[in-house]
Amino acid sequence: MSRIFTLLFVLVSISVSAQLQSPADYLGYELGTEFSRHADVVDYFEHVAEQSDMVIYNSYGKTNERRPLTYAIVSSPKNLANIENIRKDNLKNAGLESGSASPQVAIVWLSYNVHGNEASSTEAAMNTVYKLITEKKAWLENTVVIMDPCVNPDGRDRYVNWYNQVKSTPYDKKQVAAEHSEPWPGGRANHYLFDLNRDWAWATQVESQQRLKIYNQWMPHVHVDFHEQGINNPYYFAPAVEPYHEIISDFQREFQVSIGKNHAKYFDREGWLFFTRESFDLLYPSYGDTYPMFMGAIGMTYEQAGHGRAGLGIMNDDGFELTLIDRVAHHTTTGLSTIEMASLNATKLNTEFKKFFQNGNLKYKSYVLKGNSDKVNALTQLLDKHEIKYGFSNGGSVNGFSYAQNGTSSMNAAGALVVSTNQPKGKMVKALFEQDAKLSDPLTYDITAWSVPYAYGLDCIASTSLVSANGSNPAFKQINQVAPSSIAGYIVPWNSMSDAVFLSELLQNDIRVRFSEKDLSFNGKKFNKGSLVITKSDNRTNNEFMATVTKIANKNSRDLYVTTTSFSDNGFDFGSSNIKMVPKNRIAVLKGSGTSSLSYGAIWHFFETQLKYPITSIDTDDFSVRSLKDFQVLIIPNGYYGRVLTDDALGDLRTWIRSGGKVIAVGRALSSFVGKDGFSIARNEDPSDDSDDSDDSEDSEDTDNATDDDKLIPYDQRERNGVKDLITGSIYKVTLDASHPMAFGYDDSYFSLKLGGSSYKFLENGYNVGYMKGDAISVSGFSGDEAKAGLSNSMIFGEERMGSGSMVYMVDDVLFRSFWENGKLFLVNSLFFVNSNVAGL
Ligand SMILES: [Zn+2]
């Protein structure tokens, strides 16, 4: 008998422990009383999926720091048994897959914790899934909920691990307490310090790239991006503020209001404050609300008070204690309320979703693009990420709006890339490709220009008639070169980042490479300035020279032009002093307090994942000019360096430059050199809006610079009037000195993304490589009249020689969010070609 009792006891205890547990029972603490580590959150969702027949839990990849990226599919058991058909029917309804369907199931996607230090929402995700499958099952009869419990696990754990290490027990609610002051760079961004809520459209980060694959499989009807804002704000939910992008439909606008009113009902019942319609617009396509909007969903941002300051509890300025428990409750409420509204309107959501993808009335039917084949390939890779269709033209002339001419023109379309709007994702094509987004209000939260043809450096004609595209990609080639028996050297043209990656790999394989400062001609073939010259003579001690170069060229799809003589057609032979050695420079980059984490992160990501060339990052706290003795190049990211670049340090830096060092200063870092002994950079006027990182915080700040007239503007018109000083990311035409090595690979003009109104005079003692002479020409985006006028006669890129070394000034940050593909070669040129006489060999 006793054995049977024992057996029975074991069976009972197994069945008890195997039941679905609440987050509190599973984790061992009430939600909101601790911050949960990402691994614990994953464990809880796995537990839920094991115990419930309403949850499927999958991984969609890994972060840079190898944490899992995951999503749960939550619905009724009946729907889950049929989930693949539900998914496909939705794509058929939108025309994204062949066949027809009239689905009735709503699809809601909830994205939590995209900003790592806005950490209440991942806690709310656990609460929400539990309530959904225990208390709100009825909604799941006609609704599928996709939950991504943490979009940014690396950022979340950076915040949570730090907080758990430093918090007092019990927590200290005083604002001044150390647990409310995150150290640089904070937990907001991902591993490479990119803001993932600015990366949806560009998908430069592994989190975005892997998420978009799943997103495209599902294409939800409603998408919520959960955030947090400053501790003194009440809760924000949709409807959003103007400007809305014009492709957003009336239904999308209306349904945001319906959802907002449903939230309001619950918030009013509890006595919780909220606001709507005063902030967070819907224009820039790369957010977690706009991107889904442009893909047919109701995309929304929800903002809880909290953020990296709030910890488990903090006293706000109004004298109320803001607790994590409350933050979790609010985000849980809006998440559930959203699902409720989707369930109540499932049929309508499906019929309106279908309508969104019918694009017959868009003005431009085709965007036709031509240019360097590497740049075309880079753009097709972007289109592939969004599963946007494209083709190549068989030929013929195309008329329409020319991006380069900023007016009507024509193009021979033979071989051109054609992206048309007569496809389901045509509205996203319009949003990405159109020259200038229509702006109903210039007071926006983000940049107002991003036009892809300019970003990728391609000629583009927007045509009002459909251009056929059944040709093949002329750039596609299989390269399988074999090493020749005898050569004088190789020549490779210099046009694109693909060429730069090739150079980087050669240098790291100890191949000695030259570049030409003159146009070359060999055996009747012409090569532009900047072309790489790889001579047998320079590599004569390397027996593997030809095999290595051939292998690296094949790997990078680079055509090697082989010449058996170094005797040129036009006088510049391989031994010419105009064909200079590329130095294998050792590069230092400043990071840490003072630097913009976004700017540093973009540089870090660029070198590690794009150029694949080593850098050494030096913390500003540890930096002294002495530490540069082993380096040839110092990159100073956008930032404020008053504490680091003191007059003494600048004196030392000048000495280092004069002895052959090169400093590349980006964005606001330039202001550290203005008016300093030995540096000739000067501002055109007083600094106006110099903020180009409105995305460093949840609240964008418009700087007000009061002139005399401004002082008489009424109280309630101040913000509106500030618009005239504002540039919020717009595209300007820049003239280039194409004979300068910094501009090799470019023509004599370039379209630059300007992020603010900072304006610098032409260098008096230096080379003005990129500049705007006379009135500045803006082709896209919003610029206030005064800010635009301030840009006339200003330098954009410049080099100042000092002794044997150089200062390189980059007013515009070409690595901003890593999406301005056509600007990146300026940085590579600056690293390796500009003043290359001092070689770090
Ligand atoms: Zn946020």
Side-chain angles (χ1 to χ4, degrees):
M1 282 298 273
S2 73
R3 286 184 63 178
I4 290 171
F5 267 124
T6 309
L7 191 64
L8 213 65
F9 178 75
V10 169
L11 281 175
V12 167
S13 58
I14 284 173
S15 78
V16 166
S17 72
Q19 276 173 2
L20 177 67
Q21 293 183 298
S22 69
D25 287 344
Y26 185 87
L27 297 165
Y29 50 84
E30 289 292 333
L31 281 182
T33 62
E34 298 277 355
F35 278 106
S36 307
R37 296 177 313 126
H38 183 252
D40 296 333
V41 178
V42 171
D43 284 350
Y44 182 66
F45 270 85
E46 278 175 355
H47 162 77
V48 171
E50 274 166 27
Q51 298 308 321
S52 168
D53 55 1
M54 286 174 276
V55 181
I56 297 170
Y57 189 47
N58 291 327
S59 165
Y60 63 87
K62 279 198 157 61
T63 66
N64 291 294
E65 296 171 16
R66 300 182 308 283
R67 291 184 180 86
L69 294 161
T70 66
Y71 67 110
I73 305 168
V74 187
S75 197
S76 69
K78 189 172 153 225
N79 286 337
L80 288 189
N82 188 37
I83 196 69
E84 192 57 9
N85 286 330
I86 291 174
R87 186 183 72 75
K88 284 187 172 164
D89 283 353
N90 182 49
L91 297 181
K92 286 175 189 166
N93 189 37
L96 291 161
E97 203 168 286
S98 58
S100 68
S102 303
Q104 307 286 319
V105 177
I107 301 175
V108 178
W109 183 303
L110 305 177
S111 286
Y112 295 91
N113 219 158
V114 59
H115 290 143
N117 60 359
E118 301 171 10
S120 72
S121 74
T122 288
E123 312 289 341
M126 293 189 277
N127 205 21
T128 303
V129 72
Y130 183 72
K131 284 186 181 295
L132 201 50
I133 60 177
T134 54
E135 300 168 20
K136 308 292 182 188
K137 285 182 213 177
W139 299 341
L140 298 175
E141 295 300 321
N142 70 345
T143 307
V144 172
V145 183
I146 315 277
M147 298 178 74
D148 183 339
C150 188
V151 174
N152 178 12
D154 292 349
R156 176 184 172 84
D157 269 3
R158 189 182 317 126
Y159 171 74
V160 164
N161 290 342
W162 165 78
Y163 182 82
N164 287 340
Q165 286 164 28
V166 303
K167 78 171 175 104
S168 317
T169 304
Y171 64 82
D172 192 331
K173 62 188 175 189
K174 290 187 281 302
Q175 290 185 11
V176 72
E179 66 200 65
H180 302 302
S181 174
E182 268 189 289
W184 191 97
R188 175 183 175 89
N190 78 343
H191 171 79
Y192 281 113
L193 306 181
F194 273 66
D195 184 334
L196 294 179
N197 191 32
R198 305 295 188 281
D199 194 50
W200 280 75
W202 318 123
T204 66
Q205 301 301 298
V206 293
E207 292 89 347
S208 313
Q209 290 159 10
Q210 296 172 106
R211 179 182 353 100
L212 284 180
K213 286 185 185 146
I214 307 301
Y215 190 92
N216 275 303
Q217 287 174 14
W218 278 98
M219 296 292 287
H221 308 143
V222 178
H223 179 268
V224 180
D225 210 31
F226 289 91
H227 287 262
E228 292 191 284
Q229 53 188 340
I231 59 170
N232 297 309
N233 290 329
Y235 199 98
Y236 163 81
F237 48 72
V241 71
E242 293 284 346
Y244 282 26
H245 197 285
E246 59 177 314
I247 61 178
I248 293 172
S249 72
D250 289 345
F251 173 73
Q252 286 174 308
R253 289 170 174 259
E254 288 158 14
F255 202 71
Q256 281 192 83
V257 176
S258 307
I259 290 178
K261 286 184 174 168
N262 203 50
H263 297 343
K265 182 181 76 187
Y266 292 108
F267 274 54
D268 286 340
R269 188 182 297 169
E270 299 288 342
W272 298 337
L273 281 183
F274 59 85
F275 70 100
T276 65
R277 288 166 290 187
E278 291 177 278
S279 197
F280 306 110
D281 58 80
L282 296 169
L283 186 73
Y284 175 67
S286 214
Y287 284 112
D289 52 17
T290 47
Y291 183 91
M293 274 281 193
F294 300 176
M295 289 291 199
I298 315 300
M300 294 173 295
T301 293
Y302 296 169
E303 299 267 358
Q304 162 63 42
H307 212 268
R309 275 192 82 194
L312 292 176
I314 191 169
M315 193 60 83
N316 75 11
D317 293 352
D318 295 338
F320 290 106
E321 189 180 339
L322 172 68
T323 65
L324 183 61
I325 291 172
D326 288 342
R327 289 152 65 196
V328 172
H330 301 164
H331 268 338
T332 304
T333 301
T334 53
L336 291 172
S337 164
T338 303
I339 298 164
E340 179 184 29
M341 286 302 288
S343 175
L344 287 171
N345 297 278
T347 306
K348 178 83 170 157
L349 281 170
N350 276 286
T351 54
E352 292 292 337
F353 193 65
K354 183 188 183 80
K355 277 189 212 163
F356 182 89
F357 292 92
Q358 291 157 1
N359 296 314
N361 57 357
L362 294 175
K363 177 181 174 191
Y364 289 116
K365 306 300 180 199
S366 294
Y367 297 90
V368 185
L369 301 109
K370 269 187 111 162
N372 173 268
S373 59
D374 294 328
K375 294 177 182 177
V376 172
N377 283 341
L379 177 52
T380 60
Q381 285 167 20
L382 179 76
L383 296 171
D384 289 342
K385 287 172 182 171
H386 303 300
E387 301 184 13
I388 289 171
K389 297 193 190 85
Y390 54 86
F392 294 89
S393 167
N394 269 332
S397 178
V398 174
N399 297 305
F401 180 84
S402 159
Y403 286 53
Q405 311 296 326
N406 202 17
T408 307
S409 187
S410 66
M411 174 198 279
N412 173 1
L417 173 67
V418 180
V419 189
S420 296
T421 55
N422 69 334
Q423 57 176 314
K425 290 178 180 169
K427 291 201 177 76
M428 183 57 100
V429 170
K430 171 184 162 67
L432 293 175
F433 280 79
E434 70 187 333
Q435 190 220 14
D436 205 7
K438 196 169 142 192
L439 199 61
S440 58
D441 187 328
L443 277 182
T444 163
Y445 194 64
D446 209 289
I447 61 175
T448 54
W450 50 80
S451 180
V452 159
Y454 292 122
Y456 281 74
L458 295 168
D459 287 341
C460 180
I461 297 274
S463 166
T464 52
S465 48
L466 192 67
V467 176
S468 80
N470 43 21
S472 55
N473 182 354
F476 180 79
K477 60 189 174 199
Q478 201 84 42
I479 295 218
N480 194 13
Q481 300 156 113
V482 287
S485 54
S486 159
I487 64 164
Y490 300 106
I491 309 174
V492 178
W494 182 257
N495 294 304
S496 69
M497 268 306 292
S498 304
D499 298 320
V501 172
F502 172 61
L503 171 64
S504 165
E505 194 166 345
L506 290 174
L507 292 176
Q508 287 173 85
N509 280 274
D510 293 319
I511 301 295
R512 291 166 68 109
V513 184
R514 292 174 183 267
F515 71 101
S516 179
E517 288 204 347
K518 299 287 182 187
D519 293 338
L520 297 179
S521 177
F522 278 80
N523 307 312
K525 190 157 168 62
K526 301 209 175 337
F527 298 91
N528 288 339
K529 296 178 185 68
S531 292
L532 302 178
V533 175
I534 313 160
T535 72
K536 183 179 174 183
S537 173
D538 286 330
N539 295 282
R540 58 186 173 271
T541 58
N542 181 349
N543 293 332
E544 300 293 311
F545 155 62
M546 286 192 288
T548 306
V549 173
T550 306
K551 192 179 85 187
I552 295 172
N554 287 342
K555 181 182 159 197
N556 290 284
S557 301
R558 296 302 93 188
D559 268 325
L560 292 169
Y561 177 78
V562 177
T563 172
T564 52
T565 176
S566 56
F567 190 90
S568 71
D569 302 341
N570 66 346
F572 301 112
D573 307 326
F574 281 179
S576 162
S577 63
N578 287 300
I579 301 183
K580 295 179 169 167
M581 195 67 80
V582 179
K584 190 176 172 181
N585 283 327
R586 284 184 295 272
I587 299 164
V589 182
L590 280 187
K591 69 173 286 195
S593 162
T595 54
S596 151
S597 62
L598 296 168
S599 176
Y600 166 72
I603 292 167
W604 181 21
H605 182 259
F606 175 79
F607 279 97
E608 283 192 3
T609 73
Q610 298 170 60
L611 189 61
K612 302 190 173 74
Y613 191 89
I615 54 168
T616 297
S617 299
I618 301 177
D619 199 290
T620 49
D621 286 342
D622 304 324
F623 176 76
S624 74
V625 176
R626 274 194 312 277
S627 53
L628 293 178
K629 66 178 174 17
D630 294 327
F631 298 92
Q632 286 79 41
V633 178
L634 171 67
I635 302 177
I636 308 182
N638 191 5
Y640 295 101
Y641 298 94
R643 199 175 49 80
V644 183
L645 299 176
T646 58
D647 286 350
D648 282 353
L650 285 172
D652 293 345
L653 195 61
R654 210 167 51 234
T655 306
W656 179 77
I657 296 170
R658 296 191 70 82
S659 66
K662 184 155 59 184
V663 170
I664 300 172
V666 179
R668 263 192 325 246
L670 272 62
S671 53
S672 297
F673 299 92
V674 172
K676 301 295 180 180
D677 206 16
F679 300 90
S680 73
I681 185 162
R683 286 185 184 277
N684 262 328
E685 268 176 20
D686 288 331
S688 64
D689 175 20
D690 203 4
S691 92
D692 55 357
D693 57 351
S694 56
D695 48 356
D696 259 344
S697 72
E698 212 60 6
D699 307 300
S700 72
E701 286 168 35
D702 308 324
T703 48
D704 279 320
N705 301 288
T707 65
D708 271 354
D709 282 348
D710 290 340
K711 289 170 190 159
L712 301 175
I713 293 164
Y715 176 76
D716 66 353
Q717 289 168 31
R718 284 284 167 106
E719 184 186 27
R720 205 72 10 219
N721 185 67
V723 162
K724 70 185 190 313
D725 299 322
L726 207 61
I727 289 179
T728 46
S730 41
I731 302 171
Y732 279 78
K733 187 171 186 178
V734 172
T735 304
L736 295 180
D737 170 5
S739 72
H740 190 281
M742 192 178 178
F744 285 173
Y746 293 93
D747 298 327
D748 51 12
S749 67
Y750 164 76
F751 291 96
S752 192
L753 180 65
K754 276 212 93 51
L755 299 164
S758 298
S759 175
Y760 292 91
K761 288 185 161 65
F762 297 145
L763 292 174
E764 290 203 6
N765 304 312
Y767 301 99
N768 293 285
V769 183
Y771 55 86
M772 297 198 277
K773 189 168 187 303
D775 289 344
I777 300 170
S778 161
V779 295
S780 176
F782 177 78
S783 299
D785 291 343
E786 291 190 8
K788 186 176 173 184
L791 290 173
S792 57
N793 294 318
S794 67
M795 182 265 290
I796 307 296
F797 303 124
E799 184 211 355
E800 179 177 12
R801 293 277 163 100
M802 296 167 63
S804 316
S806 288
M807 267 305 292
V808 175
Y809 301 109
M810 305 186 87
V811 176
D812 291 353
D813 181 356
V814 295
L815 295 187
F816 177 74
R817 297 180 189 165
S818 194
F819 86 103
W820 204 260
E821 203 56 38
N822 196 35
K824 294 175 181 174
L825 211 55
F826 286 113
L827 177 59
V828 181
N829 289 339
S830 303
L831 295 170
F832 297 114
F833 294 171
V834 170
N835 194 3
S836 64
N837 291 325
V838 181
L841 292 169

